[in-house]
């Protein structure tokens, strides 16, 4: 008996007789409020436990011999697709003009609606067919004689006519696709540099008349991961009665995103600044939109992680226990307050 009694004395939760317990309306109200609060906090903690958070780590970039994917999606509302080219050059000296690797051009009318789709590698064949059709419908005039006098062949003449007609109709162009370049510093630019300089002169009448207004819908250097923000997305630069060259300076940071299920997504994030150089009458260069990029030697690893179950239990006990203790204190205070008010009212009635 002594051992059992000693164990009973350790009970921190003694039970009172049922007839000694008193239930009140105020206690019921506090109990309901406490139950609602505890249920809300429980689901909040459960959601917090099931959600993931990210941890950032940095290390030296050791990648070698890989290519850098550049995702482009841009609109040029004032330049037809026939004059636009995508050129790239890097520090190794590799220079590619009018790239046709996974790049598409969408012809747009003056309202921005698509009126034709062309894959760059197929442009040559399509242009030849279109030129033959145009020759049947167009009359030779004084302009044709001038072009012949300058030594242009029939293809160049048809090109000039076609582009001038597109400019008169207010055609624009949307350029989108993926460039795979070497993983070294360099630049790529979208311009009219793919044209023969004399053809460009005949079309525009000078570099100051080339309008490189543009909208950047998407510019990225790899697949997107949760929380990634590309700073140039949504950029709009419209020129009115002027021309010039846009230069975007980009710092690329190699990034690895590790999902909670251990899948690794290699990609890149970047920061950017921009500079605009207006054209002057004596400038010999032609307007363009340049993207000059450089790679950081540091790789950022972003890891998804989940909180431990012990952490969840600890927080759950803290919030539920705290709520239970607080509602118990509130119940006692309300009971004493009501008891005091009732006694005061009874005393006054007796008098």
């Amino acid at each position: 008996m002594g051992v059992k009694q000693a164990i009973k004395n350790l009970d921190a939760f003694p039970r009172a007789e049922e007839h000694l317990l008193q239930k009140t309306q105020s206690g019921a109200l506090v109990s309901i409020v406490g139950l609602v609060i505890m249920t809300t906090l429980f689901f909040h903690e459960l959601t917090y436990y099931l959600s993931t958070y990210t941890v950032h780590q940095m290390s030296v970039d050791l990648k070698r011999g890989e290519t850098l994917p550049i995702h482009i999606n841009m609109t040029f509302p004032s330049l037809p697709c026939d004059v636009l080219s995508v050129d790239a050059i890097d520090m190794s000296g590799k220079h590619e003009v009018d790239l046709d690797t996974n790049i598409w051009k969408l012809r747009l009318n003056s309202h921005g609606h698509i009126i034709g789709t062309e894959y760059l590698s197929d442009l040559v064949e399509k242009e030849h067919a279109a030129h033959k059709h145009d020759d049947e419908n167009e009359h030779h005039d004084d302009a044709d004689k001038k072009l012949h006098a300058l030594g242009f062949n029939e293809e160049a003449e048809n090109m000039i006519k076609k582009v001038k007609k597109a400019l008169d109709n207010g055609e624009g162009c949307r350029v989108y696709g993926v460039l795979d370049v070497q993983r070294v510093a360099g630049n790529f630019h979208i311009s009219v540099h793919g044209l023969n300089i004399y053809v460009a002169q005949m079309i525009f009448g000078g570099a100051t008349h080339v309008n490189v207004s543009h909208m950047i819908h998407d510019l990225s250097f790899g697949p997107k991961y949760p929380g990634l923000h590309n700073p140039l997305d949504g950029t709009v630069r419209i020129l009115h009665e002027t021309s010039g060259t846009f230069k975007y300076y980009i710092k690329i940071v190699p990034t690895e995103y590790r999902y909670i299920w251990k899948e690794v997504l290699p990609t890149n994030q970047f920061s950017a600044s921009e500079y605009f150089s207006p054209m002057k009458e004596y400038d010999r260069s032609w307007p363009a939109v340049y993207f000059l990029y450089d790679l950081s030697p540091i790789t950022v690893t972003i890891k998804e992680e989940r909180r431990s179950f012990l952490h969840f239990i600890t927080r759950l006990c803290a919030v539920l226990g705290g709520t239970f203790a607080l509602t118990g204190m509130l119940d006692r205070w309300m009971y004493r307050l009501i008891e005091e008010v009732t006694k005061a009212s009874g005393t006054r009635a007796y008098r």
Side-chain angles (χ1 to χ4, degrees):
M1 291 295 294
V3 175
K4 291 183 178 180
Q5 187 61 40
I7 294 174
K8 287 183 178 180
N9 291 336
L10 298 176
D11 185 6
F13 307 99
R15 302 292 186 273
E17 297 292 337
E18 187 69 27
H19 66 277
L20 297 177
L21 299 177
Q22 181 180 1
K23 298 184 181 296
T24 62
Q25 292 184 348
S26 62
L29 178 62
V30 172
S31 298
I32 293 173
V33 172
L35 183 61
V36 171
I37 294 175
M38 285 189 287
T39 303
T40 303
L41 292 176
F42 169 76
F43 283 107
H44 176 270
E45 289 299 321
L46 181 62
T47 304
Y48 182 72
Y49 165 68
L50 295 177
S51 63
T52 59
Y53 65 97
T54 56
V55 177
H56 292 67
Q57 299 175 341
M58 291 187 294
S59 60
V60 177
D61 183 20
L62 301 177
K63 294 180 182 177
R64 294 291 183 272
E66 297 183 7
T67 58
L68 178 68
I70 304 175
H71 300 260
I72 307 171
N73 190 348
M74 296 179 63
T75 295
F76 291 82
S78 302
L79 290 176
C81 289
D82 291 300
V83 301
L84 284 177
S85 67
V86 182
D87 311 327
I89 187 170
D90 56 45
M91 289 185 65
S92 67
K94 186 177 180 181
H95 187 193
E96 299 185 50
V97 180
D98 200 7
L99 292 174
D100 57 5
T101 305
N102 299 321
I103 296 294
W104 292 78
K105 292 180 182 179
L106 302 180
R107 291 176 57 207
L108 307 176
N109 61 18
S110 57
H111 301 290
H113 299 145
I114 299 172
I115 57 177
T117 304
E118 293 178 323
Y119 186 56
L120 282 190
S121 59
D122 297 329
L123 281 181
V124 176
E125 296 178 3
K126 292 183 179 180
E127 284 175 1
H128 282 308
H131 292 156
K132 291 179 181 178
H133 180 71
D134 291 340
D135 290 342
E136 296 174 358
N137 298 323
E138 293 181 359
H139 298 286
H140 292 282
D141 53 15
D142 295 337
D144 294 338
K145 297 177 181 178
K146 293 179 180 179
L147 292 174
H148 282 297
L150 290 173
F152 292 110
N153 57 26
E154 185 178 352
E155 182 180 351
E157 294 172 16
N158 293 332
M159 170 71 170
I160 293 171
K161 293 176 188 176
K162 183 179 179 182
V163 174
K164 283 188 174 181
K165 183 178 179 182
L167 287 170
D168 293 338
N169 294 334
E171 279 193 26
C173 186
R174 186 164 186 169
V175 181
Y176 72 97
V178 181
L179 298 176
D180 288 316
V181 298
Q182 297 186 80
R183 200 178 179 84
V184 294
N187 78 78
F188 67 95
H189 53 277
I190 304 175
S191 63
V192 298
H193 294 171
L195 293 175
N196 179 287
I197 188 170
Y198 298 107
V199 172
Q201 189 71 30
M202 289 294 298
I203 292 173
F204 297 103
T208 55
H209 299 127
V210 179
N211 189 339
V212 290
S213 298
H214 59 277
M215 292 167 278
I216 303 176
H217 308 292
D218 175 58
L219 180 67
S220 57
F221 295 85
K224 295 184 178 180
Y225 61 84
L228 175 64
H229 172 67
N230 294 321
L232 292 181
D233 289 1
T235 300
V236 178
R237 298 293 179 265
I238 304 298
L239 299 177
H240 299 283
E241 299 180 357
T242 186
S243 185
T245 297
F246 289 90
K247 291 185 178 180
Y248 295 94
Y249 297 91
I250 297 172
K251 192 70 172 182
I252 300 173
V253 181
T255 304
E256 285 187 350
Y257 192 89
R258 298 178 180 270
Y259 289 94
I260 192 71
W261 53 85
K262 304 304 181 182
E263 180 184 351
V264 179
L265 178 68
T267 184
N268 299 279
Q269 53 184 323
F270 68 94
S271 61
S273 59
E274 63 177 288
Y275 173 74
F276 174 71
S277 175
M279 291 294 298
K280 298 179 176 59
E281 291 292 339
Y282 53 83
D283 285 342
R284 293 187 176 183
S285 61
W286 287 75
V289 179
Y290 283 86
F291 297 90
L292 301 97
Y293 57 89
D294 192 10
L295 285 90
S296 169
I298 301 298
T299 294
V300 175
T301 301
I302 305 174
K303 297 171 61 178
E304 285 186 347
E305 293 189 358
R306 182 167 288 155
R307 297 159 187 88
S308 67
F309 183 71
L310 183 61
H311 184 265
F312 168 66
I313 294 298
T314 302
R315 288 178 61 96
L316 193 62
C317 291
V319 296
L320 296 185
T323 304
F324 187 80
L326 183 61
T327 52
M329 293 172 57
L330 183 61
D331 175 56
R332 288 193 294 272
W333 292 341
M334 289 184 64
Y335 178 76
R336 291 175 182 176
L337 177 62
I338 293 173
E339 191 178 44
E340 291 296 330
V341 171
T342 303
K343 287 181 178 179
S345 299
T347 304
R348 292 195 190 96
Y350 177 75
R351 291 178 179 176

